């Protein structure tokens, strides 16, 4: 049996944000309606995905991975869209990353068969839940993290419940978040995995983004130190598993270049190891936190692809757009737009006005006169420059900062073609 039925088709209605008053339309039929957010066809606010930008980001990153000697298991927690996960794997991704057992259930039910669970799962009760899930998918290649003997014990319980003779464990090194902090913790975790009947050492893992600070120089030092500890831990795992293919996993969407520079030579010298990145948000990019991260990558030398240097900030294109309508111009210098904290990310910066449309026509230059200053639950406060001709009913396209905390507010992602027309609807499964 499967624990979750696939959501290949859904009837879309006004119960889903962004969908106008329709008497139910199947996701696969939405393209025939030719809805355009800039025309006001959608029930605003709405979130859209630029399909061409997403594909360009995907192709650029996969080409860079091949040139850098690494692979990627994109983190599904960003969109929690099985269809996007399948598309990335079909394009050449090694597998898929999840953050917890619920996400693993969603991706397994949708057909994914190679997963990294990039997190500790908890205690024995969580081990029993994971084991029950894995028992339904005996063919899945599954790797999980452990940073302590207790974490290893939970995974051993999962393997027992699932009836697996082997379950791969990546020893996690950490700074700022989970992960073994010193050699003693690494050695204790390795010993616990070796002592468990149903576990095997699959490699090492870390998350360098957790080492970042507000100081750029200190961040570089902290990440370098964490990656060096990861390399040292890999040597210990290799000594304990001399012939087994091993994984070295790291790499979010901001410092993946540093990970490849540090770990790829180690894997190449080993000859029986692979570096698996877990980047996910960069396939969407943004107008905030990742735009700044890509600019930093350019300052570190950019992206080397097939011997040529590419600009990260120019190569990765923001793919997500939040559309909202001006509801009120209650006083000079202020506009209220119809979206808020329930619709957009705000933990890493407020949305940025990009374009303004009125009666289907773009109002050139008007977006540059606007700034989002704060959000309520369902209202955005915009500062409007003096004499700017923003009017009630104008439709504004906003760029966002941090795709992960924006996408999880939406049950459906509407996909746009090059003409800004909705072609597909991608259901999300955040739970």
């Amino acid at each position: 049996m499967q624990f979750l039925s696939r959501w290949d088709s859904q009837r879309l209605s006004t119960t889903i944000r962004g969908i106008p008053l329709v008497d139910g339309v199947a996701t696969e039929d939405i393209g025939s309606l030719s809805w355009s957010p800039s025309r006001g066809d959608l029930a605003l606010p709405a979130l859209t995905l630029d399909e061409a930008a997403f594909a360009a980001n995907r192709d650029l990153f996969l080409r860079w991975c091949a040139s850098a000697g690494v692979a990627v298991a994109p983190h599904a927690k960003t969109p929690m869209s099985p269809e996007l996960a399948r598309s990335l794997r079909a394009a050449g991704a090694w597998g898929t990353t999840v953050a917890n057992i619920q996400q693993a259930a969603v991706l397994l039910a949708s057909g994914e068969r190679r997963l990294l669970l990039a997190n500790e799962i908890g205690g024995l009760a969580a081990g029993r839940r994971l084991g029950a899930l894995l028992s339904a998918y005996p063919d899945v290649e599954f790797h999980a993290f452990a940073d302590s003997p207790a974490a290893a014990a939970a995974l051993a319980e999962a393997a027992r419940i699932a009836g697996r003779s082997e379950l791969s464990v990546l020893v996690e090194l950490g700074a700022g978040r989970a992960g073994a902090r010193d050699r003693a913790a690494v050695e204790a975790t390795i010993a616990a995995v070796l002592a468990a009947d149903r576990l095997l050492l699959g490699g090492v893992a870390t998350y360098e983004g957790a080492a970042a600070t507000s100081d750029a120089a200190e961040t570089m030092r902290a990440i370098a130190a964490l990656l060096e500890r990861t390399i040292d831990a890999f040597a210990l795992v290799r000594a304990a598993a001399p012939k087994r293919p091993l994984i070295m996993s790291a790499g979010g969407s901001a410092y993946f270049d540093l990970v490849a520079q540090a770990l790829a030579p180690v894997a190449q010298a080993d000859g029986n190891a692979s570096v698996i990145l877990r980047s996910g948000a960069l396939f969407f990019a943004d107008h905030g936190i990742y735009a700044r991260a890509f600019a930093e990558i350019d300052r570190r030398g950019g992206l080397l692809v097939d011997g040529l240097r590419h600009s990260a900030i120019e190569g990765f294109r923001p793919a997500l757009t939040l559309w909202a309508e001006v509801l009120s111009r209650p006083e000079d210098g202020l506009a209220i737009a119809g979206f808020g904290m329930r619709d957009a990310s705000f933990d890493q910066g407020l949305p940025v006005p990009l374009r303004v449309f009125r009666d289907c026509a773009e109002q050139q230059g008007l977006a540059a006169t606007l700034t989002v200053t704060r959000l309520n639950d369902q209202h955005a406060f915009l500062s409007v420059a003096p004499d700017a001709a923003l009017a009630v009913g104008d439709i504004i396209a906003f760029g966002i900062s941090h795709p992960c905390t924006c996408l999880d507010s939406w049950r459906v992602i509407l996909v746009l073609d090059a003409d800004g027309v909705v072609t597909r609807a991608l259901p999300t499964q955040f739970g």
Side-chain angles (χ1 to χ4, degrees):
M1 64 173 289
Q2 289 188 345
F3 284 81
L4 186 70
S5 61
R6 285 180 57 181
W7 196 4
D8 289 328
S9 180
Q10 179 189 358
R11 306 299 294 186
L12 302 176
S13 72
T14 193
T15 62
I16 297 172
R17 269 179 305 159
I19 304 301
L21 285 170
V22 292
D23 188 21
V25 59
T27 53
E28 60 266 29
D29 295 334
I30 195 171
S32 65
L33 302 175
S34 299
W35 287 337
S36 172
S38 65
R39 272 200 313 263
D41 296 335
L42 302 179
L44 302 182
L47 183 71
T48 62
L49 174 70
D50 181 328
E51 188 158 34
F54 183 86
N57 296 342
R58 175 199 67 207
D59 294 345
L60 172 61
F61 190 60
L62 290 176
R63 285 168 50 218
W64 176 85
C65 285
S67 292
V70 301
V72 62
H75 212 315
K77 72 175 176 63
T78 300
M80 278 308 294
S81 164
E83 186 170 347
L84 288 179
R86 285 196 293 272
S87 75
L88 291 170
R89 180 171 46 77
W94 176 88
T96 303
T97 296
V98 294
N100 55 38
I101 297 171
Q102 180 267 339
Q103 292 177 11
V106 169
L107 272 296
L108 289 173
S110 74
E112 296 305 307
R113 290 299 177 266
R114 179 185 272 169
L115 294 186
L116 287 179
L117 200 166
N119 203 356
E120 280 68 30
I121 63 168
L124 294 179
R128 289 189 286 273
R129 291 194 300 274
L130 177 59
L133 174 64
L134 292 179
S135 67
Y137 301 95
D139 60 328
V140 68
E141 179 182 338
F142 196 87
H143 307 267
F145 288 11
D147 63 0
S148 67
L155 294 174
E157 179 71 355
R160 184 187 70 80
I161 294 293
R164 284 182 166 240
S165 58
E166 295 181 336
L167 180 61
S168 173
V169 179
L170 306 186
V171 179
E172 185 184 11
L173 284 296
R177 205 169 69 178
R181 294 296 199 262
D182 53 34
R183 183 185 179 99
V186 170
E187 291 177 337
T189 304
I190 291 173
V193 172
L194 293 174
D197 292 336
R198 298 171 182 266
L199 301 183
L200 62 81
L201 286 169
V204 297
T206 193
Y207 174 52
E208 73 289 346
T213 73
S214 59
D215 181 272
E218 177 56 31
T219 292
M220 293 298 100
R221 288 191 292 269
I223 290 176
L226 178 59
L227 293 174
E228 188 60 37
R229 288 171 48 215
T230 303
I231 293 168
D232 291 343
F234 175 79
L236 295 175
V237 171
R238 173 53 77 203
K243 297 182 179 180
R244 186 174 299 137
L246 296 178
I247 289 170
M248 306 175 75
S249 179
S253 295
Y255 305 101
F256 59 84
D257 57 325
L258 300 178
V259 169
Q261 290 168 15
L263 301 188
V266 177
Q268 183 177 12
D270 178 85
N272 196 22
S274 303
V275 177
I276 309 298
L277 305 182
R278 306 191 301 274
S279 312
L282 61 73
F283 294 101
F284 300 89
D286 69 7
H287 286 87
I289 181 176
Y290 288 110
R292 295 188 293 273
F294 298 149
E296 289 298 320
I297 289 173
D298 284 348
R299 278 188 276 273
R300 296 195 293 266
L303 304 173
L304 185 62
V305 180
D306 299 328
L308 299 176
R309 293 284 174 185
H310 294 256
S311 165
I313 191 66
E314 294 177 4
F316 290 113
R317 296 160 46 191
L320 294 174
T321 303
L322 182 71
W323 301 82
E325 191 171 10
V326 177
L327 305 181
S328 176
R329 288 296 317 270
E331 59 188 64
D332 291 343
L334 176 65
I336 306 297
F339 77 94
M341 292 186 289
R342 297 186 178 193
D343 310 298
S345 48
F346 54 89
D347 58 314
Q348 300 288 346
L350 294 172
V352 179
L354 303 175
R355 304 169 74 186
V356 179
F357 296 85
R358 181 182 302 153
D359 299 328
C360 305
E362 183 170 359
Q363 306 300 295
Q364 297 293 336
L366 187 51
T369 70
L370 311 175
T371 303
V372 178
T373 59
R374 63 188 178 98
L375 304 177
N376 286 162
D377 283 0
Q378 295 184 262
H379 295 88
F381 295 73
L382 277 66
S383 171
V384 183
D387 302 323
L390 188 70
V392 169
D394 286 352
I395 295 172
I396 306 176
F398 295 88
I400 59 93
S401 178
H402 200 185
C404 302
T405 53
C406 183
L407 284 161
D408 66 2
S409 296
W410 294 86
R411 290 170 58 195
V412 165
I413 308 167
L414 300 174
V415 180
L416 301 186
D417 64 12
D419 296 322
V421 174
V422 175
T423 60
R424 291 191 294 151
L426 302 177
T428 63
Q429 297 189 14
F430 287 99

